[in-house]
Amino acid sequence: LAKTTQPISMDSYEGQEVNITCSHNNIATNDYITWYQQFPSQGPRFIIQGYKTKVTNEVASLFIPADRKSSTLSLPRVSLSDTAVYYCLVGDGPMDSSYKLIFGSGTRLLVRP
Amino acid sequence: GAVVSQHPSWVICKSGTSVKIECRSLDFQATTMFWYRQFPKQSLMLMATSNEGSKATYEQGVEKDKFLINHASLTLSTLTVTSAHPEDSSFYICSARPRAGTDTQYFGPGTRLTVL
């Protein structure tokens, strides 16, 4: 079973900031939180990963509260090309060769002109 | 860095034939590779986990004799769909993880399989 819960879909307009929140109430102590972006008929693309507090890279920010039971992906000033499905994932299993990522439903983001 | 390729990108075959899909990590060694399947408008479903030099571990409900996985080297894993049928038509995606102890996976571009 997926360990994360996200909104099924979100709408936004070009130039706006988009925040997608993910719940992971049963996150394990050693789990990292990873976000991927997927366009139709393509493999998922890594966006950002974090463990706690805030992480920022050239495309997004990731906010993780102290209890780590949720996380928020923030996309600044979205454009039409950001229309995609966004997946929040935490690991499943011990951090060894059996560690795997189970995808939840993802959030389908639609950016309008 | 961290590029994963898949070949072919798409394939059309007749019912009853077998199809092999290759997954390669181009600039890193992958101790573990994963195979996913994705139907239209749905999320990715993990099919199996393969570690180099050992047998693949299949998720519940995935037929190991139907979906043969070989991970012969640290840069190559193959998925063979045996005796394919129309219901096997799907988007197959592989991913690779550089080493145990990290959970970052890098995904291939996917292979579209259509079985007539």
Side-chain angles (χ1 to χ4, degrees):
Chain A
L1 293 178
K3 298 171 64 174
T4 60
T5 303
Q6 305 173 232
I8 294 295
S9 64
M10 293 182 68
D11 279 18
S12 182
Y13 290 92
E14 278 191 294
Q16 290 188 333
E17 178 185 77
V18 172
N19 296 306
I20 306 174
T21 297
C22 177
S23 297
H24 27 80
N25 291 315
N26 297 318
I27 188 169
T29 303
N30 59 348
D31 282 342
Y32 278 74
I33 301 154
T34 311
W35 286 79
Y36 288 87
Q37 175 193 56
Q38 187 184 29
F39 297 111
S41 297
Q42 294 187 27
R45 184 176 74 99
F46 174 87
I47 301 175
I48 198 166
Q49 184 182 70
Y51 184 80
K52 62 180 178 181
T53 63
K54 178 183 174 182
V55 180
T56 297
N57 61 22
E58 61 275 10
V59 298
S61 294
L62 179 59
F63 298 91
I64 305 169
D67 65 5
R68 303 197 334 116
K69 293 184 183 298
S70 67
S71 60
T72 300
L73 174 73
S74 181
L75 304 171
R77 298 180 299 282
V78 293
S79 64
L80 297 178
S81 62
D82 293 317
T83 293
V85 179
Y86 293 82
Y87 294 97
C88 157
L89 294 100
V90 298
D92 186 16
M95 189 66 77
D96 58 17
S97 59
S98 67
Y99 198 77
K100 56 191 178 184
L101 295 178
I102 304 298
F103 280 77
S105 61
T107 297
R108 193 171 296 272
L109 174 64
L110 173 62
V111 180
R112 302 177 186 273
Chain B
V3 178
V4 177
S5 70
Q6 282 184 239
H7 177 80
S9 56
W10 59 270
V11 57
I12 301 173
C13 69
K14 292 182 179 180
S15 185
T17 61
S18 295
V19 175
K20 179 184 286 188
I21 303 170
E22 291 185 350
C23 176
R24 294 181 185 273
S25 56
L26 299 184
D27 50 2
F28 66 97
Q29 292 185 328
T31 56
T32 307
M33 287 185 170
F34 305 85
W35 287 95
Y36 294 82
R37 181 167 55 179
Q38 186 175 34
F39 293 106
K41 302 293 186 183
Q42 295 187 24
S43 183
L44 285 77
M45 186 192 77
L46 180 65
M47 299 174 67
T49 302
S50 75
N51 291 293
E52 186 264 339
S54 61
K55 289 184 178 180
T57 301
Y58 290 81
E59 295 298 305
Q60 191 173 10
V62 178
E63 302 174 55
K64 60 180 66 176
D65 294 331
K66 172 78 171 176
F67 300 98
L68 302 179
I69 292 172
N70 184 281
H71 192 163
S73 77
L74 286 172
T75 60
L76 173 64
S77 176
T78 60
L79 167 69
T80 301
V81 183
T82 62
S83 186
H85 288 92
E87 58 266 30
D88 298 322
S89 297
S90 188
F91 192 52
Y92 292 86
I93 307 170
C94 73
S95 69
R97 187 170 69 205
R99 57 182 171 85
T102 68
D103 60 354
T104 302
Q105 291 178 209
Y106 301 95
F107 288 81
T111 297
R112 173 76 58 191
L113 170 64
T114 302
V115 185
L116 302 177

